[in-house]
């Protein structure tokens, strides 16, 4: 592994020479801001909508150590080590990733940092690509750390630079909360020169600060953290990213992306509003908020996610003895679930002033309108190896005369979760990284039979190794299928420890999954090619007979990189004379490249979609799909 190099010159934060405007995605703007802050280290775990930040840093400045970690906990701890030594670091993750990193987050708040450490967590109101609509502002309150939230890409760029200044001034990590609309919005952004800090990493022994086994030290650090947070709140009362706009006796307190919706809809609402724009949900700048509330007759809080800010504002108003009505999500003016839109904000403001929106649609009307649109669920790509894995698994259970609903099949986080859809409908559960094996472990104990877990290669490295260790330790009767497609496919094909790849071109070691599993003590381990349905099916049948843990590694590279390299081979052809139109190939695989022609009552293969995996060829009962034939023959 390459060492982080010292840089030749020092400069103060924010002193970079402007380079002009660039059209950037919000995540790219964040990457520019971090590089303009002089970061030496960036890491995280890929997860939409945060992924592009690390990728942009690696592309823009490869000499910065910008590489993925096996999971968010490891990422935060590695970055903490860098920040302890006085250098600046960035950690990125999606909303649920902070759950994984929560353990070190709490202790890290007590120890504080020397170099700036920003923890970027991308929340996903909607949700668009996440298991939950988790609101990570609450982690700021739980950990007693400051939380910053930008409203647009330009502010994301500027605010992250302020985050490094703030963190180093008070020697605390800073949580940088974004939402999908900031991460993935594209805008013109004013950027500057990348900053290089002439700092040599130095870590000094300080038991009270860095060792949490000292209970007396913990009490002292807790007191220090509370005092520090109070100082940060005082700074937030006058920081430039918080400001009051407009005049009027009706108040709006807006944070993050919804501030833009407020600006958009205000000209359409015939009333005068006074707006407090906030970028600091925690600690709440109470003086700024209460001074604002003293100037209005009533106010509404507009925010994405939970009513976090609304609750904080109400507490501040109560403690200040103010009797100003405060509205928001808790009063029903805005929905608690889902993502805010300009229309929802406009309707809330009209309701606040006693007006009525002609555009307002009741939930049942929206539901009816949505029901009229054709459903377009995501599907596995043509040639996806996971299709073969699950087809072979279901066929193996059938051969063993195990009923369709008699053996639980637990899924995990990744592309293979799409196996929940017809025609496979394979997995029964899917909710957090690595849980497939843990759930199978528990059920194997109480149900007295072999339970199946399916997990991807990246997810296995993220959080699947520990539950497999437990299965070996307790000799639990589980079959773990590791679906190794040689990448982190769902989030854009990032490398992981099993690929040996790197974001910046550094040479890393490749971890052999089969050797690792055997080293854990699993007695039955077999690697198969999921394109070979028969061999995969037979291996599964064999593994189901093993008492205790068994592991099958279904290894075949994700088809998308193969397509990009132009390595697609021969494609099969449907022999019309043999095709009976039974659609077994379609119904058994669900491959989008298989198209049923209702006029001919035959199946054809879409040559533009087909990747030549051959799974359909193995499912046709009439041998009507053949390789080695000319099309039209």
């Amino acid at each position: 592994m390459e060492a982080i190099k010292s840089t030749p010159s020092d400069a103060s934060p924010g002193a970079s020479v402007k380079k002009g405007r660039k059209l950037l995605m919000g995540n790219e703007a964040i990457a520019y801001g971090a590089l303009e802050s002089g970061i030496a280290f960036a890491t995280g775990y890929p997860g939409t909508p945060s992924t592009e930040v690390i990728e942009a840093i690696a592309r823009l400045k490869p000499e910065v150590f910008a590489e993925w970690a096996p999971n968010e906990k490891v990422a935060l701890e590695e970055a903490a080590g860098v920040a302890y030594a006085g250098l600046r670091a960035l950690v990125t993750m999606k909303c649920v990733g902070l759950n994984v990193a929560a353990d070190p987050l709490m202790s890290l708040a007590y120890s504080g940092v020397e170099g700036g450490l920003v923890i970027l967590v991308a929340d996903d109101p909607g949700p668009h690509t996440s298991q939950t609509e988790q609101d990570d502002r609450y982690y700021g309150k739980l950990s007693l750390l400051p939380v910053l939230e930008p409203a647009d890409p330009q502010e994301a760029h500027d605010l992250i630079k302020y985050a490094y200044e703030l963190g180093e001034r008070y020697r605390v990590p800073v949580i940088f909360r974004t939402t999908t609309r900031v991460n993935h919005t594209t805008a013109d952004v004013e950027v500057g020169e990348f900053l290089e800090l002439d700092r040599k990493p130095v870590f000094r022994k300080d038991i009270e600060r860095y060792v949490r086994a000292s209970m007396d030290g913990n009490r002292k650090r807790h007191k220090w953290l509370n005092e520090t947070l109070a100082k940060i709140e005082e700074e937030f009362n006058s920081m430039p990213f918080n400001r009051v706009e407009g005049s009027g006796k009706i108040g709006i307190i807006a944070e993050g992306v919804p501030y833009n919706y407020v600006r958009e809809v205000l000209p359409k609402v015939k009333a005068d509003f006074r707006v407090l724009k906030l970028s600091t949900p925690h600690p709440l700048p109470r003086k700024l908020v209460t001074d604002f509330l003293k100037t209005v007759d009533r106010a509404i809080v507009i925010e994405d996610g939970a009513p976090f800010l609304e609750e904080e504002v109400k507490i501040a108003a109560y403690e200040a003895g103010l009797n100003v009505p405060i509205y928001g999500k808790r009063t029903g003016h805005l929905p608690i679930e889902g993502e805010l839109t300009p229309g929802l904000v406009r309707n809330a403001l009209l309701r606040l002033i006693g007006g009525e929106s002609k555009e307002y649609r009741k939930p049942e009307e929206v539901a009816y309108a949505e029901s009229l649109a054709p459903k377009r669920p995501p599907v596995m790509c043509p040639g996806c190896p996971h299709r073969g894995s699950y087809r072979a698994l279901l066929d193996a259970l059938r051969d063993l005369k195990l009923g369709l609903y008699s053996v639980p099949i637990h899924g995990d986080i990744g592309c293979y979760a799409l196996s929940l859809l017809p025609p496979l409908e394979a997995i029964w559960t899917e909710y957090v990284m690595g849980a497939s094996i843990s759930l199978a472990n528990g059920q194997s104990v109480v149900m007295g039979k072999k339970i199946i877990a399916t997990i991807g290669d990246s997810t296995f490295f993220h959080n699947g190794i520990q539950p497999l260790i437990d299965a070996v330790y307790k000799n639990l009767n589980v079959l773990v299928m590791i679906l190794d497609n040689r990448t982190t496919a769902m989030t854009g094909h990032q490398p992981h420890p099993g690929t040996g790849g790197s974001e910046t071109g550094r040479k890393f070691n490749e971890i052999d999954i089969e050797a690792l599993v055997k080293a854990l003590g699993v007695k039955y381990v077999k690697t198969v090619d999921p394109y070979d349905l028969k061999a995969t099916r037979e291996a599964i049948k064999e593994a189901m007979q093993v008492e205790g843990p068994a592991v099958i590694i279904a290894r075949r590279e994700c088809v998308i990189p193969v397509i990009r390299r132009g390595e697609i081979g021969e494609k099969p052809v449907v022999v019309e004379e043999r095709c009976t139109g039974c659609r077994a190939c379609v119904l058994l695989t669900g491959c989008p490249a298989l198209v049923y022609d209702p006029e001919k009552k035959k199946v054809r293969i879409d040559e533009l979609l087909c990747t030549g995996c051959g799974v359909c060829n193995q499912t046709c009962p009439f041998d009507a799909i053949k390789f080695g034939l000319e099309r039209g023959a």
Side-chain angles (χ1 to χ4, degrees):
M1 183 181 297
E2 294 181 12
I4 298 171
K5 297 180 175 65
S6 300
T7 49
S9 62
D10 204 358
S12 60
S16 56
V17 179
K18 293 296 180 185
K19 290 175 65 176
R21 302 187 72 81
K22 292 182 180 292
L23 184 63
L24 300 175
M25 180 193 288
N27 280 340
E28 293 175 313
I30 291 168
Y32 270 85
L35 290 170
E36 290 169 38
S37 301
I39 62 166
F41 186 92
T43 189
Y45 186 79
T48 306
S50 69
T51 307
E52 296 86 0
V53 178
I54 297 294
E55 294 176 334
I57 291 171
R59 183 180 72 251
L60 292 168
K61 196 172 182 182
E63 57 267 36
V64 169
F65 193 94
E67 303 289 354
W68 297 109
N71 66 28
E72 296 85 356
K73 178 180 185 291
V74 173
L76 182 53
E77 290 165 346
E78 290 178 348
V82 173
Y84 283 169
L87 302 185
R88 290 183 171 181
L90 173 69
V91 185
T92 73
M93 61 197 70
K94 70 180 298 173
C95 51
V96 292
L98 196 49
N99 299 332
V100 180
D103 192 6
L105 179 71
M106 300 302 152
S107 291
L108 182 57
Y110 275 38
S111 65
V113 293
E114 286 297 306
L117 174 57
V118 173
I119 304 161
L120 185 150
V121 54
D123 280 358
D124 187 25
H128 299 280
T129 57
S130 304
Q131 303 97 301
T132 65
E133 291 186 281
Q134 174 175 320
D135 191 326
D136 282 296
R137 290 177 295 178
Y138 286 102
Y139 270 116
K141 195 169 184 178
L142 182 63
S143 63
L144 301 176
L145 290 177
V147 180
L148 304 180
E149 179 171 357
D152 55 49
Q154 181 66 67
E155 189 169 81
H157 168 274
D158 299 341
L159 193 62
I160 199 166
K161 295 171 72 173
Y162 170 77
Y164 281 104
E165 298 173 2
L166 178 78
E168 290 193 352
R169 190 153 50 245
Y170 296 100
R171 300 167 81 185
V172 294
V174 176
I175 298 174
F176 196 81
R177 187 235 190 184
T178 61
T179 57
T180 305
R181 297 297 171 186
V182 166
N183 294 109
H184 287 167
T185 292
T186 299
D188 281 340
V189 178
E190 188 79 25
V191 299
E193 297 285 348
F194 296 160
L195 187 67
E196 295 188 348
L197 302 176
D198 186 18
R199 297 182 181 178
K200 300 200 180 297
V202 176
F203 181 51
R204 295 180 176 84
K205 186 176 182 180
D206 187 335
I207 297 299
E208 181 181 288
R209 181 176 180 184
Y210 295 116
V211 178
R212 298 278 66 83
S214 165
M215 299 305 108
D216 183 56
N218 289 342
R219 286 188 291 273
K220 291 177 181 177
R221 294 306 293 181
H222 189 189
K223 185 174 187 295
W224 166 84
L225 186 56
N226 282 323
E227 292 171 347
T228 300
L229 201 63
K231 294 174 185 175
I232 291 172
E233 179 188 331
E234 186 62 31
E235 177 170 331
F236 283 177
N237 281 313
S238 58
M239 62 97 78
F241 296 96
N242 295 333
R243 59 182 180 270
V244 177
E245 301 171 348
S247 60
K249 302 303 287 183
I250 304 174
I252 298 173
I253 301 176
E255 176 200 338
V257 170
Y259 164 72
N260 301 294
Y261 303 158
V262 170
R263 292 186 60 187
E264 180 179 338
V265 304
L266 278 184
K268 304 172 186 178
V269 181
K270 296 180 180 179
D272 290 328
F273 291 91
R274 187 171 173 83
V275 179
L276 172 58
K277 185 260 182 198
L278 290 177
S279 294
T280 57
H282 186 264
L284 184 74
R286 286 176 292 181
K287 184 178 185 304
L288 177 64
V289 169
T290 54
D291 285 350
F292 174 81
L293 291 174
K294 290 174 184 176
T295 66
V296 297
D297 295 330
R298 58 191 183 279
I300 184 169
V301 178
I302 299 178
E303 59 188 319
D304 252 330
F308 176 89
L309 185 61
E310 180 184 349
E311 293 167 355
E312 293 296 295
V313 168
K314 287 178 175 177
I315 292 171
Y318 174 81
E319 290 179 345
L322 302 178
N323 193 26
V324 180
I326 298 168
Y327 305 94
K329 290 173 177 278
R330 294 188 65 84
T331 60
H333 286 69
L334 292 164
I336 293 180
E337 303 86 10
E339 185 179 29
L340 292 188
T341 64
L344 289 170
V345 172
R346 179 173 181 265
N347 292 335
L349 296 182
L350 287 169
R351 180 179 169 187
L352 191 65
I353 64 174
E356 184 177 351
S357 170
K358 294 180 180 179
E359 298 176 7
Y360 177 76
R361 301 174 69 184
K362 297 178 181 178
E364 56 268 24
E365 294 174 334
V366 175
Y368 174 71
E370 290 178 347
S371 72
L372 299 178
K375 299 292 186 247
R376 296 182 178 88
V379 296
M380 292 180 187
C381 302
C384 175
H386 301 326
R387 181 177 286 107
S389 295
Y390 283 106
R391 183 68 266 155
L393 174 58
L394 295 173
D395 290 347
L397 295 181
R398 178 202 62 205
D399 290 353
L400 292 170
K401 296 185 171 26
L402 296 170
L404 187 60
Y405 301 110
S406 65
V407 180
I409 303 173
H410 294 288
D412 227 297
I413 308 297
C415 297
Y416 45 94
L418 296 174
S419 67
L420 69 91
L421 299 170
L424 294 170
E425 299 180 281
I427 61 170
W428 297 25
T429 64
E430 179 263 355
Y431 67 103
V432 299
M433 304 284 279
S436 60
I437 304 177
S438 302
L439 289 168
N441 287 348
Q443 288 187 345
S444 72
V445 172
V446 298
M447 297 179 73
K449 61 182 177 182
K450 204 167 203 73
I451 309 295
I452 299 170
T454 59
I455 186 170
D457 45 343
S458 183
T459 309
F460 177 70
F461 284 111
H462 179 284
N463 220 16
I465 297 172
Q466 297 90 336
L468 182 57
I469 290 173
D470 202 42
V472 174
Y473 167 52
K474 297 171 182 172
N475 197 36
L476 301 177
N477 201 16
V478 296
L479 166 57
V480 177
M481 287 189 66
I482 302 174
L483 310 180
D484 182 7
N485 64 357
R486 312 293 295 149
T487 188
T488 313
M490 180 169 256
T491 52
H493 302 92
Q494 293 78 25
H496 62 65
T499 69
S502 159
E503 277 296 325
T504 57
R506 291 173 169 84
K507 184 173 176 57
F508 293 152
N509 296 315
E510 179 178 329
I511 306 301
D512 185 328
I513 293 178
E514 182 173 329
L516 173 61
V517 170
K518 288 179 177 178
L520 295 180
V522 180
K523 298 294 189 293
Y524 182 95
V525 183
K526 182 169 284 190
T527 298
V528 296
D529 180 354
Y531 281 179
D532 186 339
L533 294 186
K534 181 179 179 181
T536 304
R537 182 175 68 246
E538 293 305 312
I540 293 169
K541 288 161 63 175
E542 191 174 82
M544 289 294 291
Q545 308 304 314
V546 173
E547 189 62 35
V551 172
I552 290 176
I553 302 165
R555 177 170 296 148
R556 168 68 71 154
E557 185 180 11
C558 172
V559 74
I560 292 178
V562 176
I563 293 172
R564 289 171 178 167
R565 295 195 303 267
E567 296 178 1
I568 293 300
E570 181 187 0
K571 300 178 182 181
V573 175
V574 175
V575 181
E576 287 197 2
E577 294 76 15
R578 292 188 179 184
C579 179
T580 67
C582 71
R583 292 182 285 178
C585 57
V586 176
L587 297 173
L588 290 174
T589 70
C591 179
L594 297 169
V595 182
Y596 179 71
D597 187 334
E599 292 185 5
K600 290 185 175 183
K601 295 184 177 179
K602 307 280 185 182
V603 170
R604 64 179 175 83
I605 295 176
D606 187 329
E607 188 175 0
L608 294 177
L609 294 178
C610 180
T611 63
C613 70
V615 170
C616 61
N617 162 267
Q618 301 169 68
T619 59
C620 177
F622 300 100
D623 198 26
I625 302 176
K626 307 287 287 184
F627 283 92
L629 296 178
E630 294 290 333
R631 293 199 170 270

